[in-house]
PDB file of all heavy atoms in Angstrom:
ATOM      1  N   VAL A 159      24.866   5.375 -19.419  1.00 98.00           N
ATOM      2  CA  VAL A 159      24.242   6.384 -20.289  1.00 98.00           C
ATOM      3  C   VAL A 159      24.889   6.336 -21.668  1.00 98.00           C
ATOM      4  O   VAL A 159      24.208   6.338 -22.695  1.00 98.00           O
ATOM      5  CB  VAL A 159      24.352   7.795 -19.656  1.00 98.00           C
ATOM      6  CG1 VAL A 159      24.132   8.880 -20.694  1.00 98.00           C
ATOM      7  CG2 VAL A 159      23.358   7.946 -18.513  1.00 98.00           C
ATOM      8  N   LYS A 180      22.069  12.923 -26.895  1.00 97.00           N
ATOM      9  CA  LYS A 180      23.414  13.359 -26.489  1.00 97.00           C
ATOM     10  C   LYS A 180      23.665  12.864 -25.064  1.00 97.00           C
ATOM     11  O   LYS A 180      22.974  13.293 -24.134  1.00 97.00           O
ATOM     12  CB  LYS A 180      23.488  14.887 -26.527  1.00 97.00           C
ATOM     13  CG  LYS A 180      23.242  15.474 -27.917  1.00 97.00           C
ATOM     14  CD  LYS A 180      23.723  16.926 -27.969  1.00 97.00           C
ATOM     15  CE  LYS A 180      23.484  17.548 -29.336  1.00 97.00           C
ATOM     16  NZ  LYS A 180      22.043  17.903 -29.547  1.00 97.00           N
ATOM     17  N   PRO A 181      24.666  12.002 -24.898  1.00 98.00           N
ATOM     18  CA  PRO A 181      24.897  11.410 -23.566  1.00 98.00           C
ATOM     19  C   PRO A 181      25.070  12.465 -22.461  1.00 98.00           C
ATOM     20  O   PRO A 181      24.548  12.273 -21.365  1.00 98.00           O
ATOM     21  CB  PRO A 181      26.169  10.593 -23.740  1.00 98.00           C
ATOM     22  CG  PRO A 181      26.337  10.405 -25.206  1.00 98.00           C
ATOM     23  CD  PRO A 181      25.584  11.474 -25.916  1.00 98.00           C
ATOM     24  N   GLU A 182      25.791  13.557 -22.754  1.00 97.00           N
ATOM     25  CA  GLU A 182      26.011  14.546 -21.672  1.00 97.00           C
ATOM     26  C   GLU A 182      24.688  15.166 -21.228  1.00 97.00           C
ATOM     27  O   GLU A 182      24.438  15.352 -20.028  1.00 97.00           O
ATOM     28  CB  GLU A 182      26.964  15.672 -21.962  1.00 97.00           C
ATOM     29  CG  GLU A 182      27.752  15.955 -23.231  1.00 97.00           C
ATOM     30  CD  GLU A 182      27.376  15.360 -24.549  1.00 97.00           C
ATOM     31  OE1 GLU A 182      27.504  14.137 -24.779  1.00 97.00           O
ATOM     32  OE2 GLU A 182      26.957  16.145 -25.409  1.00 97.00           O
ATOM     33  N   GLU A 183      23.819  15.431 -22.202  1.00 97.00           N
ATOM     34  CA  GLU A 183      22.512  16.011 -21.857  1.00 97.00           C
ATOM     35  C   GLU A 183      21.694  15.041 -21.005  1.00 97.00           C
ATOM     36  O   GLU A 183      21.075  15.433 -20.019  1.00 97.00           O
ATOM     37  CB  GLU A 183      21.715  16.297 -23.139  1.00 97.00           C
ATOM     38  CG  GLU A 183      21.692  17.755 -23.522  1.00 97.00           C
ATOM     39  CD  GLU A 183      20.964  17.972 -24.842  1.00 97.00           C
ATOM     40  OE1 GLU A 183      19.896  17.355 -25.069  1.00 97.00           O
ATOM     41  OE2 GLU A 183      21.501  18.758 -25.655  1.00 97.00           O
ATOM     42  N   LEU A 184      21.701  13.798 -21.419  1.00 98.00           N
ATOM     43  CA  LEU A 184      20.935  12.788 -20.689  1.00 98.00           C
ATOM     44  C   LEU A 184      21.475  12.641 -19.266  1.00 98.00           C
ATOM     45  O   LEU A 184      20.705  12.571 -18.301  1.00 98.00           O
ATOM     46  CB  LEU A 184      21.005  11.447 -21.431  1.00 98.00           C
ATOM     47  CG  LEU A 184      20.150  10.333 -20.846  1.00 98.00           C
ATOM     48  CD1 LEU A 184      18.675  10.699 -20.838  1.00 98.00           C
ATOM     49  CD2 LEU A 184      20.347   9.035 -21.624  1.00 98.00           C
ATOM     50  N   LEU A 185      22.788  12.653 -19.146  1.00 98.00           N
ATOM     51  CA  LEU A 185      23.400  12.534 -17.817  1.00 98.00           C
ATOM     52  C   LEU A 185      22.967  13.706 -16.931  1.00 98.00           C
ATOM     53  O   LEU A 185      22.630  13.519 -15.756  1.00 98.00           O
ATOM     54  CB  LEU A 185      24.930  12.479 -17.953  1.00 98.00           C
ATOM     55  CG  LEU A 185      25.697  12.087 -16.693  1.00 98.00           C
ATOM     56  CD1 LEU A 185      25.337  10.685 -16.220  1.00 98.00           C
ATOM     57  CD2 LEU A 185      27.213  12.166 -16.943  1.00 98.00           C
ATOM     58  N   ASN A 186      22.950  14.908 -17.506  1.00 98.00           N
ATOM     59  CA  ASN A 186      22.485  16.076 -16.736  1.00 98.00           C
ATOM     60  C   ASN A 186      21.055  15.907 -16.270  1.00 98.00           C
ATOM     61  O   ASN A 186      20.712  16.212 -15.129  1.00 98.00           O
ATOM     62  CB  ASN A 186      22.584  17.351 -17.580  1.00 98.00           C
ATOM     63  CG  ASN A 186      24.025  17.845 -17.663  1.00 98.00           C
ATOM     64  OD1 ASN A 186      24.841  17.495 -16.816  1.00 98.00           O
ATOM     65  ND2 ASN A 186      24.330  18.628 -18.688  1.00 98.00           N
ATOM     66  N   THR A 187      20.208  15.422 -17.178  1.00 98.00           N
ATOM     67  CA  THR A 187      18.806  15.186 -16.815  1.00 98.00           C
ATOM     68  C   THR A 187      18.727  14.203 -15.655  1.00 98.00           C
ATOM     69  O   THR A 187      17.964  14.398 -14.706  1.00 98.00           O
ATOM     70  CB  THR A 187      18.035  14.624 -18.026  1.00 98.00           C
ATOM     71  OG1 THR A 187      18.203  15.531 -19.115  1.00 98.00           O
ATOM     72  CG2 THR A 187      16.567  14.444 -17.741  1.00 98.00           C
ATOM     73  N   LEU A 188      19.537  13.160 -15.722  1.00 98.00           N
ATOM     74  CA  LEU A 188      19.486  12.149 -14.659  1.00 98.00           C
ATOM     75  C   LEU A 188      19.995  12.704 -13.331  1.00 98.00           C
ATOM     76  O   LEU A 188      19.525  12.306 -12.258  1.00 98.00           O
ATOM     77  CB  LEU A 188      20.256  10.901 -15.070  1.00 98.00           C
ATOM     78  CG  LEU A 188      19.624  10.128 -16.229  1.00 98.00           C
ATOM     79  CD1 LEU A 188      20.436   8.883 -16.559  1.00 98.00           C
ATOM     80  CD2 LEU A 188      18.179   9.725 -15.937  1.00 98.00           C
ATOM     81  N   HIS A 189      20.919  13.652 -13.398  1.00 98.00           N
ATOM     82  CA  HIS A 189      21.359  14.314 -12.151  1.00 98.00           C
ATOM     83  C   HIS A 189      20.199  15.094 -11.538  1.00 98.00           C
ATOM     84  O   HIS A 189      20.002  15.088 -10.326  1.00 98.00           O
ATOM     85  CB  HIS A 189      22.541  15.251 -12.414  1.00 98.00           C
ATOM     86  CG  HIS A 189      23.809  14.508 -12.725  1.00 98.00           C
ATOM     87  ND1 HIS A 189      24.846  15.063 -13.439  1.00 98.00           N
ATOM     88  CD2 HIS A 189      24.190  13.242 -12.432  1.00 98.00           C
ATOM     89  CE1 HIS A 189      25.820  14.165 -13.575  1.00 98.00           C
ATOM     90  NE2 HIS A 189      25.440  13.054 -12.972  1.00 98.00           N
ATOM     91  N   GLU A 190      19.433  15.741 -12.413  1.00 98.00           N
ATOM     92  CA  GLU A 190      18.251  16.467 -11.902  1.00 98.00           C
ATOM     93  C   GLU A 190      17.252  15.492 -11.271  1.00 98.00           C
ATOM     94  O   GLU A 190      16.707  15.747 -10.193  1.00 98.00           O
ATOM     95  CB  GLU A 190      17.547  17.239 -13.034  1.00 98.00           C
ATOM     96  CG  GLU A 190      18.322  18.466 -13.501  1.00 98.00           C
ATOM     97  CD  GLU A 190      17.738  19.050 -14.794  1.00 98.00           C
ATOM     98  OE1 GLU A 190      16.542  18.804 -15.093  1.00 98.00           O
ATOM     99  OE2 GLU A 190      18.496  19.736 -15.514  1.00 98.00           O
ATOM    100  N   TYR A 191      17.023  14.382 -11.943  1.00 98.00           N
ATOM    101  CA  TYR A 191      16.104  13.367 -11.414  1.00 98.00           C
ATOM    102  C   TYR A 191      16.601  12.886 -10.036  1.00 98.00           C
ATOM    103  O   TYR A 191      15.816  12.721  -9.101  1.00 98.00           O
ATOM    104  CB  TYR A 191      16.020  12.158 -12.349  1.00 98.00           C
ATOM    105  CG  TYR A 191      15.257  12.363 -13.639  1.00 98.00           C
ATOM    106  CD1 TYR A 191      14.780  13.621 -14.012  1.00 98.00           C
ATOM    107  CD2 TYR A 191      15.000  11.293 -14.496  1.00 98.00           C
ATOM    108  CE1 TYR A 191      14.081  13.789 -15.201  1.00 98.00           C
ATOM    109  CE2 TYR A 191      14.298  11.456 -15.676  1.00 98.00           C
ATOM    110  CZ  TYR A 191      13.843  12.707 -16.025  1.00 98.00           C
ATOM    111  OH  TYR A 191      13.152  12.853 -17.198  1.00 98.00           O
ATOM    112  N   ARG A 192      17.912  12.637  -9.963  1.00 98.00           N
ATOM    113  CA  ARG A 192      18.502  12.149  -8.706  1.00 98.00           C
ATOM    114  C   ARG A 192      18.204  13.120  -7.567  1.00 98.00           C
ATOM    115  O   ARG A 192      17.771  12.730  -6.488  1.00 98.00           O
ATOM    116  CB  ARG A 192      20.020  12.007  -8.896  1.00 98.00           C
ATOM    117  CG  ARG A 192      20.766  11.578  -7.647  1.00 98.00           C
ATOM    118  CD  ARG A 192      22.262  11.807  -7.811  1.00 98.00           C
ATOM    119  NE  ARG A 192      22.547  13.231  -8.021  1.00 98.00           N
ATOM    120  CZ  ARG A 192      23.662  13.711  -8.592  1.00 98.00           C
ATOM    121  NH1 ARG A 192      24.604  12.887  -9.018  1.00 98.00           N
ATOM    122  NH2 ARG A 192      23.839  15.004  -8.741  1.00 98.00           N
TER     123      ARG A 192
END
Side-chain angles (χ1 to χ4, degrees):
V159 162
K180 299 196 180 76
E182 0 19 291
E183 257 177 42
L184 185 60
L185 191 62
N186 283 339
T187 305
L188 293 181
H189 289 156
E190 288 169 22
Y191 287 6
R192 177 195 61 201

